[in-house]
RNA sequence: CGGGGCGUAGCGCAGUCUGGUAGCGCACCUGGUUCGGGACCAGGGGGUCGGAGGUUCGAAUCCUCUCGCCCCGACCA
């Protein structure tokens, strides 16, 4: 039996000043973790119990679709040279040398190791598909570790890799992971959304991130009641129709706009709304990952010009996906060369667009929201002048028309037409169709049914173990702060209270004996604890000789979802059950408590 | 890497400007009272003031260098 008096649970009344976000403060105060360095944490017994529970759920579900490995964290340089990621990962990977001077790295992820096993061992399509996973420590030399366990340099990740004979097989493996992830996160009690994500620099055809809304998060996502959900880098929306200006003629007309450069200035000067304007943004794209052919045709760098509605914001990731490289703003010299005009008066007319993205010339991208619009106001590429009556298609032709803008809160989702909620979120899982990147670069080949050598197609799938714990605390603390705000009698400051879902809490139940010097109370506590334990419940008995107030506070701090108070009411054969998630207290007869707890826990299981 | 902030007892802080015996609250130890919402009284232990160098009769305090941590940005499967 777990007795608090014998355990190491160093709770703190005050959190160290370093801690900023709720989960960080609470994890420290509850004695779950201690910091060793920037982005490096020790997991104390309570934290370890909780993480072990998460891992057990992940393992149980993953074993249904795959097989567990344990792979080295220490990897030789040569392996990563093969995939091109020794250099590709840059400073984000920890590098070290052994005594002989051989170079090694601490693996950030395990595509290379898994693929090397696959290429050495897999020979035939008959051996496919394979789903291989592991749960282990990853190392990333983050430029800026932050927010407690949310962004760290050493953390636990479940990562899985699938190998299939063809794209249809990959689709199946991907779907299996999607379903498994939903089960895992539900069992962990997470309130999550799966969003379409940008595939990033890794390429590939499909990618979804599993997100939990929380202000502590670093990603922006959009979702709606209809079930639509997407990363801001992918999100699109239906726009309310806007009325175009009444034209003053059939062709663009110069307007003198001395000293008016910004959208707002021009808008108020010409007495028009900002959505009547065409905004011009100029970038240079550098093609670090482009193939040789691409560089040959369009050059190592290239001018990229984006046109957006005046009141819209550019999403650089969307634009970068079209431009196939990294973007940076043009310098004034580059602007002068491209437009023959100063910033503030840039516009589409007279700009020579490349006829095709793969052809040389300026890559001109018109945001889809401007398609079909008429009589816009745009820069004239002439100092102190703008143009009115500018109509895309008629007056100028872009290289491509594409969605390159950020959506806004409240716009309607493209599927169900429900208002979109925009918010910060933390990523707890990611599933990703990798394609052939590693099979190709590392030479994995199998024979297909026709005896022909083919590359297996891969997928990779990650779950951040610590992030599940962190997100659960953030969510609960936020919900609690809201409850507290509604109940003005609560003296707890916002975000100081939380409770974990029973499935991932270090204990499911805590029994608080209000006074251990009263033999009756102590005996009753021992009895209930023993009964619960016999019934398979994970119970902690607070048998410390402390004042009741201290024990209540501590019980709340460690986030255990159910608390049984044994005190005065025992004389009437009653104990109190506090449900921390709903903040309700119920008196129950002593002899029914075990069965009642069991039914509660069963009901909370998914 | 750019900007900002902070390093004084386990935690939270004062003292630094204006150099002169290193302090307070919580925690911890001992004794007593108390005992359903972070008790009270009395006594006690605990600090190379992040580190190095310098100025000075004398440095937590002034100067130089350095290390670490946090926040914003950049970055980021």
């Amino acid at each position: 039996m777990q007795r608090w008096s014998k355990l190491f649970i160093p709770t703190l009344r005050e959190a160290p000043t370093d801690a900023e976000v709720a989960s960080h403060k609470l994890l420290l105060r509850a004695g779950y973790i201690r910091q060793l360095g920037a982005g490096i944490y020790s997991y104390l017994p309570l934290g370890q119990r909780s993480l072990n529970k998460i891992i057990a759920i992940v393992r149980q579900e993953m074993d249904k679709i795959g097989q567990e490995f344990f792979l080295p964290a220490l990897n030789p340089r040569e392996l990563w040279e093969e995939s091109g990621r020794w250099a590709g990962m840059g400073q984000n990977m920890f590098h070290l040398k052994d005594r002989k001077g051989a170079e090694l790295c601490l693996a950030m992820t395990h595509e290379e190791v898994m693929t090397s096993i696959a290429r050495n061992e897999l020979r035939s399509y008959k051996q496919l598909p394979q789903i291989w996973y592991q749960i282990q420590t990853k190392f990333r030399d983050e430029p800026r570790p932050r927010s407690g366990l949310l962004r760290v340099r050493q953390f636990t990740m479940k990562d899985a890799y699938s190998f299939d004979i063809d794209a249809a097989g990959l689709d199946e493996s991907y779907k299996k992971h999607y379903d498994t992830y939903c089960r895992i996160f539900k069992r962990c009690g997470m309130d999550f959304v799966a969003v379409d994500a940008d595939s990033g620099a890794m390429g590939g055809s499909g990618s979804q991130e599993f997100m939990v809304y929380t202000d502590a998060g670093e990603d922006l996502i959009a979702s709606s009641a209809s079930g639509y959900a997407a990363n801001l880098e992918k999100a699109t929306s239906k726009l309310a129709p806007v009325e175009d200006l009444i034209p003053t003629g059939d062709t663009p007309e110069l307007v003198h706009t001395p000293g008016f450069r910004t959208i707002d200035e021009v808008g108020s000067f010409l007495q028009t709304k900002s959505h009547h304007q065409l905004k011009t943004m100029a970038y240079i794209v550098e093609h670090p990952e482009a193939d040789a052919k691409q560089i040959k045709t369009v050059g190592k760098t290239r001018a990229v010009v984006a046109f957006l509605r005046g009141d819209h914001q550019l999403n650089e990731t969307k634009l970068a996906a079209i431009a196939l490289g990294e973007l940076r703003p043009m310098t004034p010299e580059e602007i002068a060369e491209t437009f023959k005009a100063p910033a503030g008066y840039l516009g589409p007319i007279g700009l020579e667009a490349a006829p095709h993205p793969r052809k040389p010339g300026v890559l001109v991208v018109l945001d889809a929201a401007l398609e079909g619009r008429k009589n816009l106001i745009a820069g004239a590429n002439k100092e102190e002048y703008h143009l009115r009556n500018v109509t895309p298609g008629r007056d100028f032709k872009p290289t491509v028309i594409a969605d390159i803008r950020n959506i806004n809160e409240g716009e309607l989702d493209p599927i169900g037409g429900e208002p979109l909620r925009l918010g910060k979120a933390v990523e707890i899982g990611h599933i990703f169709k990798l394609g052939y990147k590693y099979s190709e670069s590392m030479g994995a080949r199998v024979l297909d049914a026709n005896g022909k050598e083919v590359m297996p197609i891969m997928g990779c799938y990650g779950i951040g173990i610590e992030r599940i714990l962190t997100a659960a605390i953030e969510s609960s603390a936020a919900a609690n702060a809201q409850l507290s705000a509604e109940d003005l009698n609560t003296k707890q400051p916002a975000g100081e209270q939380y409770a974990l879902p029973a499935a991932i809490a270090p204990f499911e139940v805590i029994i608080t004996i209000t006074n251990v010097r009263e033999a009756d109370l102590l005996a009753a506590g021992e009895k209930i604890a023993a009964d619960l334990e016999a019934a398979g419940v994970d119970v902690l008995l607070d048998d410390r000789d402390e004042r009741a107030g201290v024990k209540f506070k501590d019980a709340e701090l460690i986030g255990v979802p159910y608390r049984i108070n044994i005190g005065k009411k025992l004389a009437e054969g009653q104990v109190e059950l506090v449900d921390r998630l709903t903040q309700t207290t119920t008196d129950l007869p002593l002899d029914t408590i075990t069965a009642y707890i069991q039914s509660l826990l069963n009901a909370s299981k998914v």
Side-chain angles (χ1 to χ4, degrees):
Chain A
M1 186 187 298
Q2 300 289 352
R3 299 166 188 274
W4 193 312
S5 63
K6 301 284 186 289
L7 300 181
F8 178 60
I9 309 176
T11 59
L12 297 174
R13 189 181 293 217
E14 287 174 286
T17 354
D18 285 354
E20 194 80 6
V21 299
S23 61
H24 190 196
K25 287 185 195 164
L26 289 165
L27 285 165
L28 286 168
R29 290 189 53 206
Y32 277 53
I33 62 170
R34 286 295 182 262
Q35 182 169 17
L36 194 61
I40 310 173
Y41 290 86
S42 303
Y43 304 149
L44 275 35
L46 237 38
Q48 182 64 3
R49 284 185 75 93
S50 185
L51 293 170
N52 276 341
K53 290 194 173 187
I54 295 168
I55 288 170
I57 291 171
V58 170
R59 178 173 283 131
Q60 215 176 64
E61 294 298 333
M62 285 304 299
D63 278 339
K64 293 178 185 169
I65 64 167
Q67 308 144 77
E68 184 170 6
F69 284 56
F70 189 86
L71 304 175
L74 208 50
N75 288 193
R77 171 175 181 152
E78 292 70 24
L79 185 69
W80 287 72
E81 294 278 14
E82 288 187 53
S83 66
R85 294 208 297 179
W86 178 266
M89 286 300 191
Q91 293 283 93
N92 279 335
M93 191 156 66
F94 283 104
H95 296 189
L96 57 131
K97 281 184 186 170
D98 68 15
R99 62 173 72 203
K100 293 183 291 188
E103 292 184 89
L104 303 155
C105 66
L106 294 176
M108 303 173 64
T109 170
H110 281 81
E111 279 81 0
E112 282 80 359
V113 180
M114 281 294 195
T115 308
S116 82
I117 294 170
R119 77 169 163 204
N120 290 339
E121 313 298 335
L122 297 177
R123 289 285 167 264
S124 160
Y125 72 98
K126 292 177 190 166
Q127 293 169 292
L128 300 182
Q130 290 289 335
I131 291 175
W132 296 348
Y133 81 95
Q134 63 156 356
I135 298 168
Q136 84 148 78
T137 306
K138 307 280 172 173
F139 300 87
R140 295 189 183 178
D141 194 357
E142 291 288 343
R144 183 149 95 80
R146 72 188 98 175
S147 307
L149 287 192
L150 232 38
R151 185 159 217 89
V152 290
R153 295 197 290 175
Q154 173 175 345
F155 59 98
T156 316
M157 184 186 222
K158 187 286 302 176
D159 54 327
Y161 305 89
S162 65
F163 299 87
D164 281 279
I165 192 71
D166 56 21
L170 173 58
D171 287 347
E172 252 176 73
S173 294
Y174 184 90
K175 178 73 167 53
K176 278 186 188 171
H177 280 89
Y178 180 90
D179 293 341
T180 298
Y181 275 34
C182 288
R183 273 201 305 277
I184 288 171
F185 297 136
K186 269 185 204 143
R187 284 187 60 187
C188 290
M190 309 304 291
D191 186 8
F192 66 96
V193 287
V195 306
D196 289 339
D198 179 59
S199 300
M202 308 311 300
S205 49
S207 167
Q208 279 164 298
E209 292 172 345
F210 291 80
M211 313 292 290
V212 176
Y213 273 109
T214 155
D215 286 340
E218 297 177 312
D219 296 304
L220 274 171
I221 63 168
S223 67
S224 76
S226 70
Y228 176 82
N231 197 299
L232 190 67
E233 295 150 10
K234 277 265 171 145
T236 59
S237 66
K238 275 187 208 160
L239 287 172
V242 289
E243 269 189 38
D244 290 317
L245 291 172
I246 296 168
T248 56
D250 292 339
T251 52
E253 179 195 348
L254 274 177
V255 190
H256 192 44
T257 50
F260 301 105
R261 294 163 172 272
T262 67
I263 296 287
D264 285 347
E265 289 165 0
V266 174
S268 58
F269 178 63
L270 296 177
Q271 308 256 304
T272 57
K273 301 245 165 70
S274 52
H275 65 245
H276 292 132
Q277 294 192 49
L278 179 146
K279 175 156 67 180
T280 306
M281 303 188 74
Y283 287 86
I284 294 288
V285 64
E286 285 161 357
H287 299 257
E289 310 214 358
D291 54 62
K293 200 173 156 192
Q294 169 95 8
I295 290 173
K296 212 172 165 188
T297 48
V298 305
K300 276 184 190 155
T301 65
R302 168 185 213 183
V304 179
V305 175
F307 295 122
L308 290 134
R309 210 170 92 176
D311 58 335
H312 286 165
Q313 300 297 313
L314 174 73
N315 184 304
E316 281 195 28
T317 308
K318 287 181 179 176
L319 184 59
I322 294 162
L324 299 171
E326 265 176 60
L327 295 172
R328 63 165 172 84
M330 274 191 196
T331 63
E333 295 75 35
E334 288 162 337
I335 287 177
E337 190 186 326
T338 307
F339 294 93
K340 320 286 184 224
Y345 298 97
L346 307 182
I349 311 288
L351 184 68
E352 196 134 334
H356 184 274
R358 300 254 171 215
K359 295 275 165 74
V362 179
L363 180 66
V364 176
V365 185
L366 180 75
D367 182 59
L370 287 176
E371 199 174 10
R373 292 288 307 279
K374 292 174 183 158
N375 312 322
L376 299 159
I377 292 161
N381 289 331
K382 184 176 173 186
E383 177 97 50
E384 306 213 319
Y385 282 92
H386 279 75
L387 290 169
R388 61 172 60 147
N389 305 332
V390 173
T391 297
R394 182 191 71 186
D395 300 323
F396 70 96
K397 291 208 167 27
T399 311
V400 285
I401 298 172
D403 172 25
I404 52 169
R405 73 184 185 93
N406 276 338
I407 62 135
N408 295 307
E409 174 107 27
E411 289 171 2
L412 305 181
D413 82 69
I415 296 171
E418 298 285 338
L420 285 164
R421 172 188 174 194
L422 248 186
K424 286 203 237 174
V426 64
E427 177 186 354
I428 55 173
H430 194 168
I431 56 178
F432 194 91
K433 290 182 185 174
L434 263 181
Y436 299 103
K437 181 180 162 80
Y438 296 91
S439 308
E440 182 169 23
S441 62
M442 299 186 63
R445 303 285 186 276
V446 297
L447 294 182
D448 70 10
N450 304 315
K452 208 182 105 200
E453 195 171 70
V454 297
M455 287 187 283
I457 186 165
M458 292 175 61
C460 71
Y461 317 89
I463 289 179
I465 302 296
E466 290 89 341
R467 282 189 173 183
I468 292 179
L469 174 60
T470 313
I473 295 176
E474 289 291 341
S475 300
S476 174
N480 225 297
Q482 207 157 4
L483 275 179
S484 303
E486 286 160 16
D487 175 8
L488 297 176
N489 295 324
T490 307
K491 295 209 178 78
Q492 287 291 338
E496 293 285 299
Q497 285 227 22
Y498 74 105
L500 288 170
I504 65 170
F507 295 96
E508 293 170 309
V509 178
I510 178 166
I511 298 174
T512 302
I513 301 170
T514 55
N515 187 347
V516 293
R517 291 163 189 225
E518 291 185 32
D520 292 357
L521 303 187
L522 184 59
E526 301 261 0
K527 170 81 167 57
I528 296 170
D531 288 351
L532 284 171
E533 199 167 65
V537 175
D538 206 358
V539 59
L540 171 62
L541 180 67
D542 190 351
D543 60 339
R544 293 174 300 165
D545 185 10
E546 286 286 352
R547 300 170 63 83
V550 172
K551 297 171 84 166
F552 290 149
K553 292 288 184 201
D554 272 348
E556 280 149 19
L557 243 192
I558 65 170
V560 174
Y562 300 109
R563 183 173 90 226
I564 298 169
N565 293 338
I566 300 178
K568 295 181 287 206
K569 292 172 189 162
L570 187 70
E572 300 133 41
Q574 303 266 306
V575 294
E576 276 171 2
L577 176 67
V578 181
D579 183 334
R580 299 278 331 291
L581 290 162
T582 58
Q583 297 193 349
T584 53
T585 302
T586 323
D587 290 344
L588 292 165
L590 187 59
D591 53 359
T592 65
I593 187 72
T594 303
Y596 190 79
I597 290 277
Q598 275 185 290
S599 68
L600 272 179
L601 289 173
N602 283 334
S604 77
K605 282 187 182 130
V606 183

